[in-house]
Amino acid sequence: MKIATWNVNGIRAREAQLCEWIARDRPDVVCLQEIKARPDQVPDRCKLADYHAFWHGGGGYSGVSLHLKRELLEAPEFSHPEFDIETRIVQVALGDLVVASVYVPNGGKDYPAKLGFLKSLVAWANSLHAEGRELVVCGDINIAHTDMDVHPKERKPGVIGQRPEERELFDALLAANLVDVVRALDPENPTSSRGGLRGATCGSGTSAGESTTFLRPARSPNVLKRARCSPRSGRAIMHRS
């Protein structure tokens, strides 16, 4: 199974690129973040006929979506957990596997709300694990997990996205039986002045706000065992065996 994710930064601005990408890579599951559109504002061209889709947006600066090839499930049940705010998370179950598209608040306008969302995300991940479910989280966590994930010139410990309490919550999320896939595949990848794969991020890597993150179940080492991303766009694809 091919699972793909992309922070599109506005679905209406990425209409052509999205269609080109999907047609080329044909992922089974697509997670999008920061769509910045209500369902009725999504361009018709992006409503792909061979995918079930759930557009979860309010027209503001956030919003997420989740898309499944129709051959995977006849009638998928898309939903969002109770802690969802500002249309920031959507989930779907594929048997015992839950896939979620997540866009964590950056915290600039309401830092306590970001911490609250992250705490709820951790609790939710733990509850799924306790039920015997497996979880794949795709999205923008808006945290530079370690200094390796930040360009040296951008390393500022007091800046939102790099604060100790945020990184501790990222650690807690991983402790909920999850593994940072990209970092696991490339643990020694250094930060450089060039964009590219950087630990938990695909994208520019200069800040926590431009990232694509894959977290897979820790007890399933063969799940999502290959990764690739486009350094320029931040789009990423994982393969689940």
Side-chain angles (χ1 to χ4, degrees):
M1 182 186 296
K2 188 184 292 186
I3 303 177
T5 186
W6 184 17
N7 180 326
V8 294
N9 192 22
I11 187 66
R12 287 168 286 183
R14 300 291 183 267
E15 176 182 350
Q17 294 96 319
L18 175 68
C19 293
E20 177 188 354
W21 174 49
I22 299 298
R24 183 184 66 246
D25 290 318
R26 302 301 301 162
D28 300 293
V29 181
V30 179
C31 299
L32 303 179
Q33 302 86 42
E34 205 173 357
I35 61 174
K36 297 182 179 180
R38 301 187 309 270
D40 64 291
Q41 294 175 314
V42 175
D44 289 339
R45 187 180 177 187
C46 298
K47 299 173 182 178
L48 307 170
D50 49 348
Y51 285 83
H52 297 291
F54 188 94
W55 298 95
H56 186 47
Y61 48 83
S62 59
V64 292
S65 67
L66 219 167
H67 312 254
L68 296 179
K69 276 188 175 177
R70 292 186 177 274
E71 61 199 58
L72 291 179
L73 284 177
E74 183 176 344
E77 295 184 7
F78 298 102
S79 62
H80 45 91
E82 292 183 359
F83 65 88
D84 179 36
I85 57 171
E86 300 174 330
T87 60
R88 290 184 176 275
I89 179 170
V90 58
Q91 63 180 351
V92 69
L94 297 166
D96 287 334
L97 174 69
V98 175
V99 179
S101 180
V102 181
Y103 180 45
V104 173
N106 65 29
K109 293 184 178 180
D110 191 342
Y111 186 63
K114 177 180 185 177
L115 298 182
F117 185 93
L118 286 165
K119 290 175 183 177
S120 296
L121 185 66
V122 171
W124 171 73
N126 276 310
S127 68
L128 289 175
H129 176 54
E131 294 171 5
R133 312 291 293 274
E134 293 185 330
L135 172 64
V136 172
V137 177
C138 303
D140 190 339
I141 303 299
N142 259 320
I143 300 171
H145 189 203
T146 70
D147 281 348
M148 182 183 283
D149 300 309
V150 188
H151 190 279
K153 293 181 180 179
E154 298 292 331
R155 291 175 185 168
K156 302 172 183 178
V159 170
I160 292 175
Q162 302 178 45
R163 292 179 178 177
E165 60 269 26
E166 296 176 274
R167 291 179 169 179
E168 289 172 5
L169 285 167
F170 203 138
D171 288 336
L173 183 59
L174 293 176
N177 197 54
L178 291 170
V179 169
D180 178 341
V181 176
V182 180
R183 175 51 55 78
L185 292 172
D186 194 5
E188 302 301 327
N189 186 8
T191 301
S192 70
S193 59
R194 176 179 58 83
L197 205 61
R198 246 178 216 83
T201 70
C202 291
S204 72
T206 57
S207 70
E210 299 180 0
S211 63
T212 295
T213 302
F214 277 99
L215 305 179
R216 68 149 169 86
R219 62 187 173 192
S220 301
N222 290 325
V223 173
L224 303 183
K225 61 183 179 181
R226 290 186 289 137
R228 63 185 176 86
C229 76
S230 167
R232 294 183 63 188
S233 69
R235 287 169 284 185
I237 290 179
M238 294 288 177
H239 297 263
R240 177 179 187 265
S241 59

